[in-house]
Amino acid sequence: MNDTFGGRFSDLFTNPGRLMENVGQRPAWWQPGLLAFLAMVCLTWLTLPISAPEQAELMRDSRLTELVGPEAAEKQYEEALNISPTKRLIQSFGAGFWTWIMILIFGLILGFFAKMSGGAGGMKQALGVVSWGSLPIFVIGSAIRLPLILMTESVYAVNIGLAALVPGAEPNSALFMILMTYGDFFTWWGLFLVVIGFERVFGMGRSTAALSVVLPWALLSLIPLSLSLLFM
């Protein structure tokens, strides 16, 4: 089997079953994690001058302003318009680290659910499956979104998923946030890879693997979505 990093990356598109079989034998979870880290650092650095003012403008019109006060909200907006290189660098690396940590935590959670469902793999395999399955979300998706964000000068205007079907929806509307959370095509691709991974590596049935992956993801995604719906 073509068990190199380049071969595995190619198998994301052409042979996900072989990819996950290789991951089961040699997880190498740090390789895709490092790539996701670097991709998010670059994406955040290049788009922060666009995303920060856009997010601050959205916050000014949200219910969160009532909690922090209009003066604090206005100060945050002014700071977003003038981000220093140091702060930009810190936020970029913070986004990269937080992305990698989320991947690892999600891998451990799914590994626990897989073991509870009778899966035969270990936690290293779970981390490997989730880490390689995260590449469409954080690496391929970022590479495609970046030029579109720079071209449109908007983060919220770039949607590759169900949210694109409602282009007139406000970013802080419930419909938009729900579709952004559960309707992103790259997320679906990543979940599909992870389901295949747990099926091949943990010896689980397709339906059991899908339930062990999709249900925890849906429940965990509900936490930030609920907070957004509450305060936006």
Side-chain angles (χ1 to χ4, degrees):
M1 295 184 181
N2 187 17
D3 192 19
T4 63
F5 181 84
R8 289 188 179 194
F9 194 86
S10 176
D11 282 345
L12 284 171
F13 304 88
T14 61
N15 199 333
R18 180 173 64 187
L19 162 65
M20 291 305 173
E21 288 175 359
N22 286 332
V23 170
Q25 297 176 14
R26 186 174 64 88
W29 55 268
W30 65 270
Q31 295 178 352
L34 179 60
L35 185 58
F37 165 78
L38 295 174
M40 292 308 297
V41 169
C42 293
L43 178 69
T44 305
W45 173 267
L46 293 172
T47 61
L48 194 59
I50 297 173
S51 62
E54 198 171 31
Q55 179 68 24
E57 181 67 32
L58 193 64
M59 296 296 289
R60 287 205 304 180
D61 299 329
S62 70
R63 288 189 288 269
L64 190 60
T65 302
E66 300 176 3
L67 299 177
V68 302
E71 294 183 359
E74 188 64 29
K75 182 179 179 181
Q76 292 177 357
Y77 179 73
E78 292 176 358
E79 291 177 350
L81 296 177
N82 300 282
I83 301 176
S84 67
T86 301
K87 186 175 181 180
R88 186 176 176 183
L89 186 65
I90 292 174
Q91 291 194 22
S92 298
F93 274 89
F97 278 118
W98 180 239
T99 297
W100 201 346
I101 290 172
M102 285 194 302
I103 293 172
L104 295 178
I105 292 176
F106 194 51
L108 294 174
I109 291 174
L110 292 190
F112 171 77
F113 272 84
K115 296 290 286 185
M116 292 293 291
S117 300
M123 283 302 176
K124 284 187 178 181
Q125 282 76 21
L127 290 177
V129 168
V130 173
S131 295
W132 287 96
S134 71
L135 291 184
I137 304 170
F138 298 110
V139 177
I140 300 172
S142 296
I144 293 176
R145 287 187 174 97
L146 177 58
L148 298 176
I149 292 173
L150 297 178
M151 182 175 62
T152 60
E153 296 186 346
S154 172
V155 173
Y156 294 109
V158 177
N159 303 302
I160 305 177
L162 297 181
L165 300 178
V166 284
E170 294 295 329
N172 58 353
S173 68
L175 176 61
F176 185 87
M177 288 188 283
I178 292 172
L179 293 179
M180 282 288 291
T181 301
Y182 293 112
D184 180 73
F185 292 160
F186 292 107
T187 300
W188 292 355
W189 181 4
L191 291 172
F192 172 73
L193 291 172
V194 174
V195 170
I196 291 178
F198 279 103
E199 181 184 12
R200 297 294 181 92
V201 177
F202 281 69
M204 303 169 68
R206 177 66 60 86
S207 59
T208 303
L211 183 63
S212 298
V213 171
V214 175
L215 181 59
W217 165 75
L219 293 176
L220 290 173
S221 299
L222 188 61
I223 298 174
L225 175 61
S226 300
L227 292 176
S228 297
L229 293 173
L230 181 63
F231 293 109
M232 298 302 289

